[in-house]
Amino acid sequence: MEKLLEKLEQLYATQNNSYSGEDGDEYFKESDLYDEIEGLCNEYLITESGGCNWDNIRVLRSKGYDVYAGEKDSFGWLTGCVRKNGDNRIVVYG
């Protein structure tokens, strides 16, 4: 989790690395750093059975990040989103 937190801080410290989606939200542009973070989110925030790893999600929330469902269906989350409190740019994983 420390590596994920470190990489998220790096990503959010970078300027001019986002775009407006069709839904009006701000998303990060693809980059090596973004790809690494997406992989770390998949590793730490999703359990082996495909559910949410609530222990790690609570850690991120305690460090100033909002973690919430992006797309959902009747089985649960299809994608997850991470947004640093006070910033409107979103990391999508899953």
Side-chain angles (χ1 to χ4, degrees), residues 62-89:
S62 74
K63 300 291 185 179
Y65 291 91
D66 189 17
V67 182
Y68 56 95
E71 295 181 60
K72 297 188 293 187
D73 68 9
S74 60
F75 297 104
W77 295 22
L78 298 175
T79 60
C81 297
V82 177
R83 182 185 314 212
K84 186 174 183 174
N85 293 339
D87 197 306
N88 61 346
R89 297 172 292 172

Side-chain angles (χ1 to χ4, degrees), residues 23-84:
D23 58 4
D25 285 330
E26 284 287 312
Y27 297 94
F28 284 100
K29 294 177 185 174
E30 293 291 322
S31 68
D32 290 341
L33 178 59
Y34 182 88
D35 291 344
E36 183 177 5
I37 290 168
E38 184 180 11
L40 291 168
C41 286
N42 291 335
E43 179 180 346
Y44 291 115
L45 303 180
I46 301 173
T47 65
E48 288 182 18
S49 62
C52 296
N53 185 326
W54 291 107
D55 290 336
N56 287 340
I57 289 171
R58 279 189 282 280
V59 168
L60 275 184
R61 288 177 173 168
S62 74
K63 300 291 185 179
Y65 291 91
D66 189 17
V67 182
Y68 56 95
E71 295 181 60
K72 297 188 293 187
D73 68 9
S74 60
F75 297 104
W77 295 22
L78 298 175
T79 60
C81 297
V82 177
R83 182 185 314 212
K84 186 174 183 174

